[in-house]
Amino acid sequence: MASLRILTRSKLSSILYACCKTESQRIVSPVILETQKRWSYYLTEERYKDPSKYTKFEITSDPNEWKYVERLLPYKVVPVPPNNIDVTASGWKPQNAPDTNLPYFVPRTKNYMHPVYMVMSKRGMKKLTYVRKIQGDIWQLESELKEYLQKRKVSLVNVVSSRINELAGVIIFRGDYVSQVNRWLEEKGF
């Protein structure tokens, strides 16, 4: 069976095709066999060895031309947001001085956003809200946040279920609470 598979993977179809042809058609068959050849690497192929087939380019060190290229390159470091703005046009608010009496702290991400994410699973039927990067007393943060969410919960069931991973510093809420958690974190100054 394995030998049959090897034979069929090789040029069995081209052999059968060449045997069934007349003498005048066999002259054309090398072209057909050539199209079935697989190239392993483009540099070993003859048609790519000719440099005239490549696109023409020019290397420049002119700063006036280079400034247009630099606009397309991504930043190596995330720029620091301005401090004198209360709210930007997108709705982003800079971090205020958080209350130092709180036993927990939720730092922002490297992009200066809240570490709150929604994960959808089971084809979009199950929604989970993740609050990450929690430092300090995660249990008190969870109880205060859960109380806040239950006050604003609009549904038949007024219970917000949560799960805590203390070692990872993560709280997981069942449901889509991303905007409410972000609003609560902004109120607390995080």
Side-chain angles (χ1 to χ4, degrees):
M1 194 65 163
S3 61
L4 181 62
R5 222 178 293 132
I6 292 169
L7 186 61
T8 56
R9 284 186 188 152
S10 64
K11 300 182 180 186
L12 176 67
S13 61
S14 60
I15 292 169
L16 292 174
Y17 186 71
C19 292
C20 298
K21 290 184 175 182
T22 61
E23 189 63 37
S24 63
Q25 290 175 334
R26 286 187 188 158
I27 299 170
V28 183
S29 66
V31 175
I32 294 170
L33 291 175
E34 186 67 28
T35 58
Q36 292 182 353
K37 186 174 179 183
R38 300 179 79 190
W39 304 103
S40 62
Y41 188 55
Y42 80 96
L43 289 178
T44 59
E45 193 174 349
E46 289 296 324
R47 60 180 152 179
Y48 293 120
K49 291 188 178 178
D50 184 18
S52 66
K53 306 242 181 194
Y54 294 135
T55 306
K56 304 266 189 283
F57 63 91
E58 184 179 317
I59 298 174
T60 181
S61 59
D62 184 19
N64 291 330
E65 292 177 359
W66 185 248
K67 68 181 178 182
Y68 296 108
V69 176
E70 286 178 336
R71 290 189 314 180
L72 302 174
L73 298 175
Y75 292 117
K76 292 183 179 177
V77 177
V78 178
V80 178
N83 291 333
N84 55 358
I85 296 176
D86 289 334
V87 179
T88 61
S90 65
W92 179 84
K93 293 180 182 175
Q95 185 173 2
N96 297 335
D99 187 8
T100 57
N101 297 330
L102 293 174
Y104 51 81
F105 181 70
V106 182
R108 298 238 177 153
T109 62
K110 69 177 184 176
N111 294 327
Y112 305 103
M113 304 296 286
H114 292 118
V116 181
Y117 310 97
M118 187 181 70
V119 176
M120 296 175 67
S121 62
K122 307 236 181 187
R123 296 183 182 149
M125 298 300 293
K126 185 177 179 183
K127 297 177 182 176
L128 300 173
T129 302
Y130 281 71
V131 183
R132 296 181 55 222
K133 300 179 76 173
I134 300 169
Q135 300 171 1
D137 190 3
I138 193 170
W139 300 99
Q140 184 175 351
L141 173 69
E142 186 262 345
S143 64
E144 290 180 16
L145 193 52
K146 196 173 193 179
E147 181 183 324
Y148 175 82
L149 292 174
Q150 282 179 348
K151 286 180 186 175
R152 280 146 186 79
K153 177 100 169 132
V154 181
S155 72
L156 298 174
V157 181
N158 200 18
V159 177
V160 177
S161 60
S162 64
R163 184 171 65 215
I164 295 176
N165 187 344
E166 189 175 9
L167 295 175
V170 176
I171 300 175
I172 304 168
F173 292 100
R174 179 178 278 169
D176 182 9
Y177 300 110
V178 174
S179 58
Q180 291 95 335
V181 172
N182 280 331
R183 193 175 311 119
W184 185 81
L185 288 172
E186 286 174 1
E187 289 174 6
K188 291 287 186 179
F190 296 120

